[in-house]
Amino acid sequence: MLSVVTFLPLLVSAVLLLLPKAFPDRVLVRTWIATAVADLALVVALWVGFDPDGRMQYEQRVRWIPSAGVGYHVGVDGLSLPMVALTCLLFLSVAVYSLREQRRVRSYVCLFLFLQTVCLGLFVALDLILFFVFFDLSIVGMFFVIAGWGHGERARAAALKFFLYTFIGSLALLLGFIGLYLAADPHTFDISDLTNANPLAGRGLYAGLVLLAIGIGLAVKTPTVPFHTWLPPAHTEAPAAGSAILAGVLLKMGTYGFVRIAMPLLPGSWRQYALVIVIVGAVSVVYGALVALAQTDFKRMIAYTSVNHMGYIVLAVGAAGTLAGTDAQARSLAVTGAVTQMVSHGLITGALFLLAGVLYDRGRTYTMDAYSGLAAHAPRFAAVTAVAAFASLGIPGFSGFIAEFQIFTGSLASQTIATAIAVTGILLTAAVFLIALRRMFLGAPRLPEKILTRGIADLRGFETLSTVSLLAVALVIGVAPRWLLGVIEPASRILTGLVAR
């Protein structure tokens, strides 16, 4: 069933490519929506049948390249199942939002269906080479989304920069995987076998270099400071649907890689260099918020808040590797908060990027000052954007508050100074969004007279459904998080136990 969930979008994509050229575009998008609904329904069935005891479930093993120790091994636990569910929900929202798309619709739909399979495949992969294949394919898919449906000539340059940065990071990741393979006896790329064997225990410098290679590859994808420079142009030039998937799902491949691969497979090195990881996380939090504060472009501002929010996750997983001055419960809480933040950021920032697409559709610019007084002309859009902004800054009642509360509580005991510095990121993020709301929605209108004369369309039905559904799930998590935390916490305890061994 897990393989059906993973490859159903790819199968539908292949079928759509074979349809006659005269096939209506709107039917293509509706087929994508139906596929996304079916995939999400299957994930709900997986969730209902999931036993939250921290073990890997729904596993499937098939021999693939046995001579090289490579196999098709998939499964989910409490760390990966929430990411699978987030992926299906976000792709469904993007599919609904894409009812507006009119450019090369067949290629657009098939490319996003391909990306959905790639993202799901990475989150269920339990073999390093399988993980790497999906990791690299996500780079290829997003490159074509940015270059093919972005904003003009600059989109191609942004797509190229995205591809080069993340592809070089993936090569570093592959070197780290090969280092793990060579250290294992017998040689294998299987994540479960490598976790049990801990082949780099006591290997000193060699283990540190392997962690460095894997860490750089994942840090570029996350991205953390100083590997973040590809992110703002990629987001600014990408179509809204591409930005929502890039921020909501693809960035999580990096942070998920830390908890699935780096922490359990290199526990000794993770403990040894935990302070470095914590510092990188704290710097990313503050830097992302400060640079976001200086932006006048709404979409670029959201991109830098992603650096800020990813920094919280890196801070938490680094603190979970610090044994001195903390206990098992605090470490587990930090990891639980990190995974919850992955889900929360995907929901809220995905909605914000879709709303940025609505903004660009109405005024053909992301410059915030150009929309002064917009609340009087598009009140529904103003209201939904305000809710998304407050959710992103971590106000109580939304998922962001639950995640950040766990991260700070779990990290404070062992990393007091770094956590205190990171807390200032909340204040800076609040300033970022409050200033943005004032610039766009309050004051006298500044839009060109011809736009004001014909009227500014408020949120349409499909735009409302695609954004509000994501924010509604974030609200449910913020008010009643037990259904999510009950799945994550047992797996977090197992992970922190592995790091502490």
Side-chain angles (χ1 to χ4, degrees):
M1 188 172 178
L2 194 59
S3 292
V4 172
V5 170
T6 302
F7 291 102
L8 176 61
L10 184 62
L11 177 62
V12 174
S13 176
V15 171
L16 293 182
L17 286 174
L18 298 176
L19 293 175
K21 291 184 178 180
F23 207 75
D25 289 345
R26 199 167 186 84
V27 176
L28 293 171
V29 179
R30 287 175 177 173
T31 303
W32 176 18
I33 294 172
T35 304
V37 169
D39 229 22
L40 182 59
L42 290 172
V43 172
V44 171
L46 290 176
W47 195 295
V48 171
F50 185 79
D51 183 8
D53 61 358
R55 295 180 297 108
M56 197 64 65
Q57 297 172 49
Y58 303 113
E59 284 189 84
Q60 182 183 2
R61 289 177 183 255
V62 178
R63 290 164 65 86
W64 185 16
I65 315 175
S67 60
V70 179
Y72 175 79
H73 184 192
V74 296
V76 290
D77 62 359
L79 303 177
S80 53
L81 184 57
M83 304 311 301
V84 170
L86 169 67
T87 299
C88 289
L89 177 60
L90 196 53
F91 270 94
L92 175 56
S93 296
V94 167
V96 173
Y97 180 86
S98 296
L99 285 167
R100 62 190 297 158
E101 189 57 51
Q102 298 178 349
R103 300 172 295 166
R104 303 183 302 282
V105 174
R106 183 193 301 268
S107 299
Y108 179 89
V109 169
C110 290
L111 189 55
F112 272 96
L113 285 168
F114 165 78
L115 267 175
Q116 184 169 351
T117 284
V118 168
C119 295
L120 290 169
L122 182 137
F123 291 128
V124 303
L126 293 177
D127 181 276
L128 292 178
I129 296 302
L130 189 63
F131 182 98
F132 176 78
V133 167
F134 288 123
F135 190 93
D136 258 16
L137 289 176
S138 72
I139 299 171
V140 175
M142 188 52 64
F143 168 80
F144 284 112
V145 168
I146 299 171
W149 287 268
H151 306 306
E153 290 297 324
R154 292 180 302 177
R156 298 175 184 175
L160 182 60
K161 186 174 184 178
F162 159 79
F163 183 88
L164 291 176
Y165 267 68
T166 50
F167 186 69
I168 291 172
S170 75
L171 294 179
L173 189 67
L174 181 60
L175 287 176
F177 289 172
I178 294 172
L180 280 165
Y181 170 83
L182 295 175
D185 186 19
H187 295 325
T188 182
F189 285 102
D190 189 89
I191 293 175
S192 300
D193 293 343
L194 289 169
T195 301
N196 294 330
N198 192 12
L200 291 179
R203 295 292 294 271
L205 178 62
Y206 181 85
L209 291 174
V210 170
L211 177 61
L212 178 64
I214 292 174
I216 289 175
L218 297 175
V220 171
K221 192 79 167 184
T222 297
T224 64
V225 176
F227 304 107
H228 67 287
T229 55
W230 62 266
L231 183 68
H235 271 311
T236 303
E237 304 304 330
S243 290
I245 296 301
L246 177 59
V249 182
L250 265 64
L251 300 191
K252 309 308 178 299
M253 293 179 177
T255 51
Y256 174 77
F258 285 124
V259 299
R260 174 59 66 215
I261 297 171
M263 294 178 72
L265 270 58
L266 295 155
S269 297
W270 191 265
R271 294 195 305 270
Q272 184 177 357
Y273 297 103
L275 181 59
V276 175
I277 298 162
V278 167
I279 292 172
V280 170
V283 170
S284 296
V285 167
V286 177
Y287 175 86
L290 285 173
V291 179
L293 190 60
Q295 301 305 308
T296 58
D297 182 297
F298 184 59
K299 205 177 187 192
R300 199 173 183 88
M301 182 201 79
I302 300 171
Y304 276 109
T305 63
S306 289
V307 177
N308 165 266
H309 285 92
M310 292 299 98
Y312 291 127
I313 299 172
V314 176
L315 168 69
V317 295
T322 307
L323 302 186
T326 187
D327 56 28
Q329 183 177 357
R331 295 194 299 273
S332 175
L333 187 63
V335 172
T336 301
V339 178
T340 306
Q341 177 74 335
M342 294 184 211
V343 175
S344 174
H345 178 267
L347 295 170
I348 298 169
T349 305
L352 280 168
F353 275 120
L354 294 181
L355 291 166
V358 173
L359 188 74
Y360 186 83
D361 178 71
R362 305 305 192 261
R364 314 311 296 175
T365 180
Y366 292 117
T367 302
M368 289 182 280
D369 288 336
Y371 296 96
S372 178
L374 192 58
H377 300 275
R380 288 196 303 277
F381 173 70
V384 175
T385 304
V387 170
F390 282 111
S392 185
L393 61 86
I395 195 169
F398 284 93
S399 54
F401 174 77
I402 301 295
E404 290 169 10
F405 177 79
Q406 290 177 313
I407 288 172
F408 294 142
T409 304
S411 304
L412 191 60
S414 61
Q415 300 296 334
T416 305
I417 296 176
T419 304
I421 292 173
V423 169
T424 63
I426 296 178
L427 299 176
L428 293 172
T429 305
V432 167
F433 281 107
L434 290 174
I435 292 173
L437 293 176
R438 176 184 59 79
R439 281 176 165 176
M440 291 192 298
F441 299 118
L442 305 180
R446 294 180 184 172
L447 283 168
E449 188 64 31
K450 62 180 180 179
I451 295 180
L452 292 174
T453 301
R454 71 170 183 261
I456 301 171
D458 209 341
L459 281 180
R460 301 182 177 95
F462 65 89
E463 294 168 339
T464 302
L465 180 61
S466 61
T467 54
V468 171
S469 59
L470 296 174
L471 297 175
V473 176
L475 178 63
V476 170
I477 294 173
V479 174
R482 191 68 252 162
W483 61 276
L484 176 62
L485 301 183
V487 169
I488 300 173
E489 285 171 352
S492 297
R493 287 194 290 269
I494 291 175
L495 176 61
T496 51
L498 289 171
V499 173
R501 69 184 181 182

